[in-house]
Amino acid sequence: MNRVYLDYNATTPVDPQVLDAMLPYFSADFANASSIHSPGQRARAAVETAREQVAALIGAKPQEIVFTSGGTESDNHAIFGGVNALITRPINYKPSSAEARERRMLISHGKHIITTMIEHEAVLNSCQELEMLGVQVTYLAVDRDGRVDPESVFKAIQSGRANPDLPLEPVSPTTTLISVMHANNELGTVQPLEEIGRIARQHKIYSHADAVQSAGKIPIDVNTLNVDLLSLSGHKLYAPKGVGALYIRSGTRLKQFLYGGHHQRGARPGTENVAGIVGLGKAAEIARISLAADAARISALRDRLERGILERIPKTRVNAVSAPRTPNTTNIQFAGIRGEALVIALDLKGLACSAGAACSSGAVEPSHVLTAIGLSQEEAKSSLRFSLGRHTTESEIDFALEVIPAAVAQLRAIAPTYRKEAASHV
Ligand code: PLP
């Protein structure tokens, strides 16, 4: 069966050049990059080359790149580390458990962070955990296109307190971190990070961007974006799963997230995943070179897919269509249809894509991103994401434009609500 993959925002295949670059580090050059013998030094050199390649993709200095296990770890490190940046503790001080609990509360209290309602769970769930420790969190709303208004960031800093109903505290909270994603994974919406970063800088607040979905798709320059921390993930960038990076601007005070040896100057202990890191480096180099051409080609294909769907299928609408978007992503509502049913129907026809709803505790929950842009539960549940990539071809889009209308027609024919609604319009 013909198989077409339009789910590149979920993950990408490893680029053949990336795989070639990685292979020696599984066998001949397997040494530990911390060993001082010559095989170890060869592994170290490969890691440092990768650091330069990743830095070059985002306009950073190599020493500002820390390799991690992926986007989730990078986001956790930035958020927990950024909030607790100013904690210091006496060496060898071991508090009793009651003292430790009290200390944790004291550390967290009086702190405030700002994020958005449409972040990935790696950010949202980190923030929710911090709330349990007494940190106040403002979740900024977005408009119909999924964009944050920089003015709302400014206002959130001014007000300081996220929730005026919280019990009174002796000190007014200080905003320590602003975390706004660069591009959204479901809609592709790109946020006005330059302006948000400028506001953060004016107020001497650290700013973090989850750039997992923008890296390699649109240009990133950490200095233009005014960010202090930025998360990347290998597997969204044609490198393998389980490797990522965190950019930490020189001079940023960030508390350690993992404890262990002195790898990566103590910023991220753990024996380096040399092959994965080499893969990420190579993928970053390819992305830097091919980004402009890829973006032009892929956005033309995406626009053709969108136009084709809107022309061929009645009662369809593109979500967040007026926003600046990553070139590869489109999110479309198909009235009267359950997104997950359409994903399955398309899978049976050979097309892979993803739904705007997910199963949570046995129930189908609409995506928090789609409800945050004002879609009703029904509209959110009827939405599908198609995400294109470097290997998407014109003939794959033609195939998608054949199978999607057919699958939608089949499902609508058996959807009682749609049939009733359609009948009322004749
Ligand atoms: N942030 C965003 C925006 C994502 O889309 C993802 C993955 O889907 C992550 C973070 C998590 O990255 P990883 O899968 O590398 O942990």
Side-chain angles (χ1 to χ4, degrees):
M1 180 170 48
N2 199 359
R3 281 232 147 253
V4 171
Y5 183 81
L6 294 184
D7 203 14
Y8 281 80
N9 284 8
T11 198
T12 60
V14 173
D15 188 286
Q17 290 179 69
V18 169
L19 183 62
D20 281 349
M22 290 172 66
L23 282 175
Y25 297 93
F26 289 110
S27 48
D29 291 323
F30 66 88
N32 188 323
S34 300
S35 299
I36 56 174
H37 44 61
S38 39
Q41 283 175 30
R42 275 205 301 281
R44 165 64 44 214
V47 167
E48 296 316 315
T49 301
R51 216 184 290 282
E52 285 166 17
Q53 290 164 320
V54 172
L57 179 66
I58 60 171
K61 300 182 202 118
Q63 65 271 26
E64 294 174 318
I65 302 298
V66 171
F67 292 111
T68 66
S69 65
T72 300
E73 183 189 323
S74 299
D75 284 344
N76 274 257
H77 190 166
I79 289 166
F80 286 99
V83 166
N84 292 327
L86 303 177
I87 299 171
T88 49
R89 70 182 157 91
I91 290 168
N92 292 336
Y93 172 67
K94 290 243 180 330
S96 70
S97 60
E99 265 180 315
R101 208 174 318 118
E102 196 181 335
R103 238 169 76 89
R104 271 206 306 276
M105 294 307 285
L106 283 173
I107 285 161
S108 306
H109 267 225
K111 289 193 175 167
H112 171 230
I113 62 177
I114 299 170
T115 187
T116 79
M117 290 168 70
I118 61 163
E119 298 297 309
H120 187 269
E121 284 83 355
V123 168
L124 284 182
N125 290 343
S126 298
C127 290
Q128 278 166 23
E129 184 59 26
L130 280 172
E131 280 187 286
M132 310 269 277
L133 297 172
V135 174
Q136 294 183 26
V137 183
T138 300
Y139 298 94
L140 297 173
V142 293
D143 66 14
R144 289 278 315 177
D145 286 319
R147 292 260 285 181
V148 171
D149 178 359
E151 187 64 26
S152 70
V153 178
F154 182 72
K155 284 191 187 134
I157 298 171
Q158 296 297 86
S159 73
R161 180 177 293 279
N163 178 354
D165 300 331
L166 285 175
L168 282 177
E169 286 170 13
V171 285
S172 90
T174 333
T175 308
T176 53
L177 185 72
I178 298 171
S179 180
V180 175
M181 73 199 315
H182 195 195
N184 183 266
N185 39 313
E186 295 188 37
L187 300 167
T189 301
V190 178
Q191 299 297 345
L193 283 196
E194 272 183 58
E195 251 178 289
I196 294 171
R198 206 172 304 123
I199 294 171
R201 194 145 289 174
Q202 275 163 9
H203 290 83
K204 298 193 166 45
I205 299 168
Y206 286 153
S207 85
H208 165 244
D210 176 337
V212 165
Q213 291 288 350
S214 57
K217 294 176 188 156
I218 54 174
I220 297 181
D221 183 314
V222 288
N223 295 314
T224 313
L225 295 181
N226 291 314
V227 289
D228 303 299
L229 301 159
L230 183 132
S231 304
L232 300 172
S233 170
H235 75 105
K236 311 288 184 179
L237 196 59
Y238 306 90
K241 296 159 185 63
V243 64
L246 178 63
Y247 157 77
I248 307 174
R249 182 179 292 280
S250 302
T252 304
R253 294 185 68 172
L254 194 72
K255 189 160 172 5
Q256 231 173 303
F257 184 60
L258 294 179
Y259 292 84
H262 298 287
H263 314 86
Q264 304 200 65
R265 299 193 219 156
R268 201 287 189 174
T271 303
E272 282 117 316
N273 167 8
V274 179
I277 289 171
V278 166
L280 178 55
K282 186 69 191 174
E285 184 186 73
I286 297 171
R288 185 172 54 80
I289 295 166
S290 66
L291 191 144
D294 275 354
R297 195 185 70 82
I298 294 170
S299 65
L301 290 177
R302 188 267 315 266
D303 294 347
R304 192 162 142 206
L305 175 67
E306 255 174 18
R307 261 197 319 274
I309 289 176
L310 296 181
E311 280 165 15
R312 287 170 176 74
I313 313 176
K315 295 193 176 246
T316 47
R317 180 192 292 170
V318 179
N319 295 320
V321 70
S322 319
R325 286 182 294 166
T326 42
N328 77 319
T329 308
T330 180
N331 194 303
I332 303 182
Q333 281 177 48
F334 296 88
I337 279 191
R338 288 279 159 184
E340 35 349 315
L342 185 51
V343 169
I344 295 166
L346 291 174
D347 184 47
L348 291 172
K349 291 178 189 289
L351 178 69
C353 60
S354 89
C359 256
S360 147
S361 341
V364 177
E365 296 289 341
S367 133
H368 68 282
V369 174
L370 299 183
T371 48
I373 63 168
L375 300 196
S376 67
Q377 300 241 336
E378 281 313 302
E379 288 169 330
K381 286 182 185 176
S382 72
S383 297
L384 247 62
R385 176 187 73 188
F386 302 96
S387 47
L388 288 61
R390 193 178 288 156
H391 308 295
T392 306
T393 61
E394 252 180 60
S395 63
E396 288 184 335
I397 297 302
D398 291 343
F399 175 77
L401 287 175
E402 243 174 65
V403 295
I404 299 168
V408 171
Q410 275 166 6
L411 289 175
R412 280 184 176 167
I414 54 168
T417 48
Y418 186 79
R419 284 203 341 251
K420 213 186 293 162
E421 206 187 300
S424 71
H425 283 87
V426 286

